[in-house]
Amino acid sequence: MFNKTEVLETVEMIEREHLDIRTITMGISLLPCIRESAEKTAKAVYDTVCAKAHDIVKVAGQLSGEYGIPIVNKRVSVTPVSLICAAFPQEAEKIGFALDRAAKELGIDFLGGYSALVQKGTAEYEQIFLESIPSVLAQTERVCSSVNVASSKSGINMDAVAQMGGIVKRTAELTKERDGLGCAKLVVFANAVEDNPFMAGAFHGTGESGTVINVGVSGPGVVKHALENVPSANLNDCAETIKRTAFKITRAGQLIAKEAAKRLHAEFGIVDLSLAPTPVMGDSVAHILEELGLEVVGTHGTTAALAMLNDAVKKGGVMASSHVGGLSGAFIPVSEDIGMIQAAEKGALHIDKLEAMTAVCSVGLDMIAIPGDTPAETISAIIADEAAIGMINNKTTAVRVIPVPGKTVGDTVEFGGLLGHAPILPVHTASSAKFVRRGGRIPAPIHSNKN
Amino acid sequence: MRAVVTVTGKDNKGIIAKVSSFLAEKGANVEEVSQTILGDCFAMIMLVDIADAQEELSSIARQCEELGEKIGMSIRLQHEAIFNAMHNV
């Protein structure tokens, strides 16, 4: 049983500290949808997604009502579409449009999986598929795309990295009337995971079961509040406090995940133990780091504080769930975190420091607005740097940058809603073009040979 | 099946009576009640059995919130599993 203090603590977490289930994501295999033509495949894709996820919004509403905990997002991830349309890559768009229609029919805000996994090499059909990404992101509202260009096991596919720089630029150009918003739906990964419930990088891996429920929890406000109660604790005790809090948050996620899987006739996949911020005050990962004693996030000590936070979240959460997966850690998206936005506006947060932080956080350079005239090769080089950090450190890294057309350092961009707003951050102007154009593959590191 | 009802807000006359009669109307049987008053702040926690309730739990929870708005309190009804999950290993 629980006592009075515990009941009030839970209520306080939900009412005042923004404890929520950030997402219930249903992973759906599209492999059984492959037909002899793009039209027939697109129809099968639409029908399958609508049938499997038909009740996702309804069930999330019921669970939220019964357990009294908000469930912010209901989403779907699918098998990487490049595999579904390998026989007709020129018509990949048709699958993208079918997925967008399905997302609208279901009433979900995002659907992930317009994706390709090209970490070791890009097949001809994948090359064609990748080129379809900008126009699909421009013509659809809810479809998200991700491309895995590197892994610790296979190295970095620099040809794909070079191609992705251009694809990010074209996506921005095609959505320039919305400040390049298409790029907010495009993630370039190293070591992408198959069970990530968070957008824009979610896709349903081929090693997964047919229909799976993955849940992402959140609660930066809860962690910050817990630390406010131990203002003079040393870092051992801070880490313990974070662990205890992460445990409670994750247990709530585990409960919802199991129940959602049962009611939606799907397998329970994983709980992703992430601290995912929103632009709302009191829901910021940056403010946790500042609570630990930094004047402003981005200053010296930020990487160490983030490393401790990320590790403590995992340690606290791992015992609370039977299966932990996804990205699990602290997210540091710039435009989606009010503390990060404030730090960037003060000039305290630079892309180089963010890159260092990605070596110890859960993912990578996320939701960073950069000047619209940034060359494609520079974006490729940013991707290569991130991929190198992921490859060498055996972790997932990613790049989701938005080269905002017509804007430069000193301007601000507003994406709206959970995507937030951000000042344009400067990038290095010295050229990386020759390095990027060399192409080829950066070999996998020596420590990947573990067999 | 049991649920936990938490009532918090500024102390007022007749809160317990209003909440209890609403719950009785819904077929919920109150098993335990504890309350505290700190200054003019009122906090009450009730453990209720809802096995005989005719409506869905989420619907009763929504009506609890509406009752809370009417009497100027925050009233939440949640399945007890959420508290067991978060506070018991």
Side-chain angles (χ1 to χ4, degrees), chain A residues 184-358:
Chain A
K185 299 183 285 176
L186 173 58
V187 187
V188 187
F189 274 118
N191 290 324
V193 293
E194 299 197 317
D195 51 11
N196 164 26
F198 285 101
M199 295 297 165
F203 65 87
H204 184 72
T206 52
E208 297 281 314
S209 176
T211 315
V212 175
I213 289 294
N214 297 320
V215 162
V217 296
S218 191
V222 182
V223 174
K224 179 172 183 288
H225 180 80
L227 288 171
E228 282 168 3
N229 291 333
V230 289
S232 39
N234 67 22
L235 291 171
N236 289 328
D237 295 337
C238 289
E240 284 303 313
T241 302
I242 296 166
K243 274 163 64 179
R244 275 199 298 276
T245 311
F247 177 83
K248 291 174 188 169
I249 295 172
T250 310
R251 290 277 285 192
Q254 166 85 7
L255 173 71
I256 297 289
K258 287 281 235 192
E259 200 55 37
K262 196 165 89 187
R263 294 188 195 185
L264 289 164
H265 312 291
E267 276 185 38
F268 160 60
I270 56 95
V271 176
D272 186 317
L273 320 172
S274 285
L275 290 183
T278 70
V280 176
M281 197 49 121
D283 209 14
S284 159
V285 168
H287 286 163
I288 298 175
L289 303 178
E290 291 171 4
E291 184 61 39
L292 284 168
L294 303 170
E295 185 183 335
V296 58
V297 70
T299 193
H300 300 294
T302 300
T303 311
L306 180 59
M308 187 196 80
L309 171 65
N310 204 48
D311 183 64
V313 166
K314 285 185 217 283
K315 285 175 178 161
V318 83
M319 188 179 148
S321 172
S322 49
H323 294 284
V324 170
L327 301 166
S328 287
F331 288 132
I332 53 166
V334 175
S335 76
E336 296 175 350
D337 183 317
I338 187 67
M340 301 282 272
I341 296 167
Q342 289 164 341
E345 283 169 347
K346 281 182 203 158
L349 191 60
H350 304 283
I351 200 157
D352 291 340
K353 187 62 178 178
L354 282 161
E355 184 183 310
M357 291 163 74
T358 67

Side-chain angles (χ1 to χ4, degrees), chain A residues 29-35 40-42 44-45 48 84:
Chain A
S29 172
L30 294 184
L31 293 172
C33 302
I34 300 173
R35 303 285 185 276
K40 286 183 181 170
T41 304
V45 162
T48 301
I84 307 305

Side-chain angles (χ1 to χ4, degrees), chain A residues 297-441:
Chain A
V297 70
T299 193
H300 300 294
T302 300
T303 311
L306 180 59
M308 187 196 80
L309 171 65
N310 204 48
D311 183 64
V313 166
K314 285 185 217 283
K315 285 175 178 161
V318 83
M319 188 179 148
S321 172
S322 49
H323 294 284
V324 170
L327 301 166
S328 287
F331 288 132
I332 53 166
V334 175
S335 76
E336 296 175 350
D337 183 317
I338 187 67
M340 301 282 272
I341 296 167
Q342 289 164 341
E345 283 169 347
K346 281 182 203 158
L349 191 60
H350 304 283
I351 200 157
D352 291 340
K353 187 62 178 178
L354 282 161
E355 184 183 310
M357 291 163 74
T358 67
V360 299
C361 78
S362 71
V363 199
L365 293 174
D366 197 12
M367 288 304 288
I368 300 174
I370 58 174
D373 61 0
T374 306
E377 292 87 350
T378 299
I379 295 171
S380 292
I382 292 171
I383 294 169
D385 283 343
E386 270 306 296
I389 290 172
M391 174 181 76
I392 297 291
N393 294 302
N394 292 306
K395 74 181 287 288
T396 304
T397 51
V399 173
R400 182 164 56 147
V401 293
I402 302 102
V404 185
K407 293 204 171 175
T408 191
V409 178
D411 295 333
T412 300
V413 62
E414 176 74 52
F415 296 118
L418 286 179
L419 297 172
H421 67 279
I424 309 278
L425 287 186
V427 297
H428 292 277
T429 50
S431 175
S432 321
K434 190 175 171 195
F435 173 70
V436 168
R437 284 189 201 132
R438 282 177 185 270
R441 181 148 53 100

